[in-house]
């Protein structure tokens, strides 16, 4: 095995996890049951090892201006302690990766990349840094990332971490969605963000690698009475699919623009720097043109009305009304990018790119599931939205 | 190494079959664990003629789909409707209530003993 291991690898083995290769890493696929782990996150909490994700430190007087140039979002406008979902695009507008960027200081950002793209993102950022007074550093190896996700996540994290400012948890209690905060785990500084990839409330915690095991165990111990279980990548995938969140390599790739993926809102074509000057960012011209043109395909949600789930790569077809069961005679109108039986909803769900003509809500389509037409209907994303009380 | 029931015989594709008449067929604990939570079963219909070593159905889990091979040749006489309705039983009791179908055997395929299968699955 040549795959990389996270600082928590021995913990996963001790918990009896089934391991899988993901983005060049050996990661826990499941500990016991995909469904039980999925439900724990929806109903109580799940603990995830996400240390395979890439972590990049961006620091220097021109850090914000540099990210304005390198990414599609506006970072001069991002306040300290806030996070933003963003993308890095090629000059042709194709997505190189989707990212979360945290502003950890006036001249400091922390950028989180997908494991499989971490190297690509690092190389692109280093290239784009030419001429900026900024330092781009890959800090992935020194850091571990664990996530606590679910309705009980806040109580659990609050019990394990301490405010860096000694405010007795008040700063943590006020932490908003897509915001971040420096906290302490014992004597160690950690970065806590109220972000996630599950559709639930939750937190992602960056900790120095040598302290990852202690933090993992402390979160497990504090969380178990609340129903927290360790959760693997299988549950993470079904959770994010229900939440309608794209996964790089499925909904996003270098042939896809943010507009194709329904993420046009994160592209700031008219962003200005902190001194008010317009910013030319990589991919801007292609993206501006793309916004004005009619899309060739649209990302939609599909709900299965029978039991067999569609999977990534399956053809979406428009059934011939005269021969609804004849998949071979049907016209292909798209391709499934992600699909699974939804544990929460109890029916198959899928995301697919389809032609605009068949993208309206309520359109009845079919998916060619190994030679048989399975009925699906176009529904709005996300499939699942948590009750915010 | 896992222990497998001695009274069953096994295929390399991780199905088991007993020696009753008609014979009962299911998937092994190894298959059930590798699949993850089973959510959908596609089984042959009662009356279907099946051939050892060929694909006769599919087992779909949350993450993936696997083909179901027949360990024997014969005629299907019963399918486990309870498992079709609630496939979780395949994970919970792969050698018991999670059986898949019963078949009047005309010819057994290449089958392994419990010990041989344990080595194969090792």
């Amino acid at each position: 095995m040549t795959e990389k291991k996270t600082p928590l690898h021995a913990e996963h083995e001790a918990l009896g996890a089934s391991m899988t290769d993901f983005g060049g890493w050996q990661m826990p696929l499941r500990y016991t049951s995909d469904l039980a782990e999925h439900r724990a996150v929806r109903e109580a909490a799940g603990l995830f090892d996400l240390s395979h994700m890439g972590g990049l430190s961006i620091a220097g007087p021109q850090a914000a201006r540099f990210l304005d140039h390198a990414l599609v979002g506006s970072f001069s406008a991002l306040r300290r302690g806030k996070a933003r979902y963003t993308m890095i695009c090629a000059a042709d507008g194709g997505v190189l990766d989707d990212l979360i960027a945290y502003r950890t200081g006036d001249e400091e950002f922390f950028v989180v990349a997908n494991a499989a793209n971490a190297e690509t993102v690092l190389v692109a950022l280093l290239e784009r840094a030419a001429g900026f007074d900024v330092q781009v550093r890959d800090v992935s190896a020194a850091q571990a990332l664990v996530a606590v996700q679910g309705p009980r996540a806040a109580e659990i994290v609050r019990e394990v971490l301490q405010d860096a400012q000694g405010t007795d948890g008040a700063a943590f209690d006020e932490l908003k969605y897509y915001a971040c905060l420096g906290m302490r785990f014992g004597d160690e500084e950690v970065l806590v963000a109220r972000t996630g990839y599950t559709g639930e409330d939750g937190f992602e915690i960056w900790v120095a690698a040598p302290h990852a095991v202690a933090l993992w165990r402390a979160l497990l111990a504090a969380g178990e009475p609340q129903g927290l279980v360790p959760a693997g990548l299988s549950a993470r995938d079904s959770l994010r699919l229900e939440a309608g969140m794209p996964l790089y390599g499925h909904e996003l790739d270098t042939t896809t623009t943010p507009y194709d993926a329904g993420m046009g809102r994160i592209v700031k074509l008219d962003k200005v720097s902190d001194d008010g000057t317009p910013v030319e960012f990589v991919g801007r011209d292609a993206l501006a043109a793309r916004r004005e043109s009619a899309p060739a395909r649209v990302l939609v949600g599909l709900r299965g009305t029978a039991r067999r789930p569609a999977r990534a790569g399956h053809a979406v077809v428009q059934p011939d009304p005269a021969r609804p069961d004849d998949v071979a005679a049907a016209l292909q109108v798209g391709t499934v990018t992600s699909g699974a039986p939804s544990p929460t909803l109890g029916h198959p769900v899928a995301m697919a790119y389809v032609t605009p003509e068949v993208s309206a809500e309520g359109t009845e389509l079919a998916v060619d599931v190994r030679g048989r037409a399975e009925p699906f209907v176009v529904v709005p994303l996300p499939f699942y939205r948590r009750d915010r009380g | 190494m896992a222990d497998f029931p001695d009274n069953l015989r096994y295929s390399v594709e991780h199905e088991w079959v007993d020696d009753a008449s008609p014979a009962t067929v299911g998937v092994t604990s190894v298959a059930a664990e590798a699949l993850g939570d089973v959510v959908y079963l596609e089984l042959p219909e009662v009356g279907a003629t099946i051939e050892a070593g060929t694909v006769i159905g599919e087992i779909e889990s949350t993450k993936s789909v696997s083909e179901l091979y027949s360990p024997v040749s014969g005629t299907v006489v019963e399918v486990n409707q309870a498992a079709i309705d609630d496939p979780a039983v395949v994970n919970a009791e792969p050698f018991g209530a999670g059986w898949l179908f019963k078949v009047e055997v005309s010819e057994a395929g290449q089958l392994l003993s419990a010990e041989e299968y344990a080595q194969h699955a090792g």
Side-chain angles (χ1 to χ4, degrees):
Chain A
M1 292 273 217
T2 55
E3 294 111 35
K4 293 180 270 189
K5 295 174 181 174
T6 78
L8 294 165
H9 187 82
E11 299 298 297
H12 306 320
E13 295 209 312
L15 289 164
S18 305
M19 304 299 285
T20 188
D21 169 42
F22 186 80
W25 291 77
Q26 271 190 57
M27 297 302 294
L29 180 64
R30 69 178 70 86
Y31 296 86
T32 55
S33 145
D34 306 333
L35 291 172
E37 291 164 25
H38 181 109
R39 287 184 186 126
V41 173
R42 290 275 179 256
E43 291 161 14
L47 179 63
F48 297 84
D49 177 13
L50 306 177
S51 304
H52 59 310
M53 305 284 284
L56 300 168
S57 157
I58 314 293
Q62 292 187 310
R65 191 177 286 207
F66 160 66
L67 290 178
D68 285 343
H69 163 72
L71 310 179
V72 300
S74 176
F75 297 91
S76 293
L78 187 66
R79 278 181 302 160
R80 187 175 174 161
K82 296 287 180 188
R84 188 155 281 171
Y85 177 73
T86 188
M87 294 183 188
I88 181 168
C89 287
D92 69 356
V95 179
L96 295 177
D97 200 10
D98 63 335
L99 310 164
I100 295 183
Y102 303 89
R103 189 163 200 166
T104 50
D106 290 337
E107 300 184 353
E108 277 178 20
F109 290 81
F110 190 60
V111 173
V112 179
N114 283 300
N117 294 331
E119 188 65 29
T120 305
V121 173
L122 177 65
V123 168
L125 288 183
L126 286 171
E127 275 175 18
R128 294 174 191 192
F132 288 93
D133 188 359
V134 68
Q135 268 202 318
V136 176
R137 283 186 306 130
D138 181 356
V139 297
S140 310
Q143 297 277 318
L145 173 61
V146 298
V148 185
Q149 299 280 307
R152 313 302 290 272
E155 292 163 70
I156 295 162
V157 173
R158 196 184 199 283
E159 194 177 321
V160 170
L161 300 184
Q162 300 84 42
D163 274 8
Q165 294 85 2
T167 58
D168 195 26
F172 175 74
D173 293 340
E174 286 163 19
L175 188 65
K176 300 265 196 321
Y177 187 54
Y178 262 77
C180 60
L181 178 69
M183 294 186 75
R184 281 189 305 104
F185 170 59
D187 293 330
E188 277 306 302
E189 287 181 16
V190 296
L191 177 67
V192 181
R194 198 162 201 159
T195 48
Y197 195 51
T198 61
E200 297 300 329
D201 186 20
F203 301 85
E204 295 179 310
I205 307 169
W206 289 90
V207 60
H211 302 279
V213 168
L215 176 61
W216 174 268
R217 290 180 181 174
L219 289 166
L220 267 186
E224 266 166 2
Q226 312 259 23
L228 171 140
V229 300
L233 290 184
S234 180
R236 183 167 159 85
D237 191 41
S238 52
L239 289 159
R240 71 91 196 169
L241 174 58
E242 286 184 347
M245 294 171 165
L247 172 62
Y248 198 89
H250 288 253
E251 286 71 37
L252 303 172
D253 59 29
T254 54
T255 71
T256 310
T257 70
Y259 294 105
D260 299 320
M263 291 284 175
R265 62 187 162 77
I266 70 168
V267 181
K268 303 298 176 193
L269 290 175
D270 302 318
K271 60 186 163 184
V272 291
S273 199
D274 42 14
D275 61 7
T277 53
V279 175
E280 278 300 319
F281 62 92
V282 179
R284 187 193 179 281
D285 294 347
L287 290 169
R290 170 63 188 76
R291 186 177 65 169
E292 299 310 318
S293 62
R297 54 187 189 153
V298 178
L299 186 68
V300 295
L302 296 176
R303 174 168 59 82
T305 53
R307 285 184 61 182
R308 286 170 95 217
R311 302 287 183 178
H314 289 170
V316 181
V317 300
Q318 198 164 31
D320 181 342
R323 291 175 292 172
D325 294 327
D326 187 354
V327 164
L331 176 71
Q332 182 169 357
V333 292
T335 304
V336 173
T337 50
S338 295
S342 162
T344 308
L345 304 172
H347 54 67
V349 295
M351 290 197 273
Y353 278 109
V354 299
T355 56
E357 298 76 38
V358 298
S359 65
E361 217 178 296
T363 306
E364 289 179 9
L365 297 171
V367 175
D368 179 350
V369 180
R370 293 177 296 282
R372 233 166 56 202
E374 297 294 338
F376 280 79
V377 60
V378 176
V379 294
L381 291 170
F383 302 104
Y384 166 85
R385 202 186 291 273
R386 77 186 155 99
D387 180 3
R388 285 164 195 257
Chain B
M1 198 176 292
D3 259 341
F4 302 102
D6 279 330
N7 60 323
L8 304 178
R9 305 235 281 159
Y10 300 86
S11 71
V12 293
E13 288 94 4
H14 307 288
E15 285 85 20
W16 57 261
V17 58
D18 70 10
D19 57 5
S21 181
T24 302
V25 173
V27 295
T28 69
S29 51
V30 174
E33 270 171 42
L35 283 163
D37 292 306
V38 177
V39 293
Y40 177 78
L41 291 173
E42 178 97 5
L43 299 178
E45 289 180 12
V46 171
T49 304
I50 57 177
E51 199 181 317
T54 63
V55 175
I56 53 162
E58 56 189 38
I59 303 181
E60 186 122 26
S61 67
T62 46
K63 281 303 280 180
S64 62
V65 60
S66 294
E67 288 173 324
L68 177 66
Y69 292 84
S70 181
V72 295
S73 299
T75 305
V76 176
V77 295
E78 188 181 346
V79 297
N80 186 354
Q81 189 60 44
I84 291 172
D85 293 340
D86 182 12
V89 70
V90 175
N91 295 104
E93 294 179 58
F95 293 115
W99 64 276
L100 298 180
F101 61 90
K102 295 187 181 185
V103 55
E104 207 67 69
V105 179
S106 61
E107 194 182 345
Q110 292 273 0
L111 296 174
L112 308 175
S113 69
E115 195 178 328
E116 289 165 337
Y117 178 68
Q119 284 186 356
H120 166 71

